Amino acid sequence: QIDTLNDTLNDTLKLIENNPYITADELKDKMKVSLSTAKRRIKALQDRGIIIRKNGKRDGYWEVNL
C-alpha cells in the first residue's frame, strides 16, 4: 500500500513539476480523482517538504524542493 501511495504522489509531483501554477481542481481533472483526493495528495507532498507554496493561494505557484 505504501508503494501505491508513493506512485500516486510521484504522479502528482510530475504534474506539479510540469506546471507549477496548476490548481487542485486541474490536478483533479488530470488524475481523474475527486477534489478532496487531489488536495490530500498536495498536502501529503507539503507535509513531506517536497513542495512549497510561494506567493499565496490565489496568485502563487508550487516550488519543488527535492
Side-chain angles (χ1 to χ4, degrees):
Q1 195 174 26
I2 291 173
D3 289 338
T4 303
L5 175 63
N6 287 334
D7 288 346
T8 58
L9 291 181
N10 284 334
D11 292 343
T12 305
L13 183 59
K14 286 176 189 173
L15 290 169
I16 291 170
E17 286 177 322
N18 289 335
N19 179 8
Y21 293 91
I22 197 164
T23 65
D25 196 51
E26 291 168 329
L27 281 171
K28 152 190 89 83
D29 292 340
K30 290 185 182 290
M31 294 186 299
K32 297 181 179 13
V33 296
S34 68
L35 183 58
S36 61
T37 297
K39 288 180 178 181
R40 194 168 35 253
R41 291 179 184 174
I42 289 169
K43 179 150 178 28
L45 289 170
Q46 286 180 296
D47 289 348
R48 294 176 183 197
I50 297 171
I51 60 172
I52 299 168
R53 189 70 178 174
K54 297 288 187 170
N55 295 337
K57 289 182 181 181
R58 184 172 296 258
D59 297 321
Y61 62 94
W62 295 106
E63 181 178 277
V64 177
N65 188 27
L66 291 177

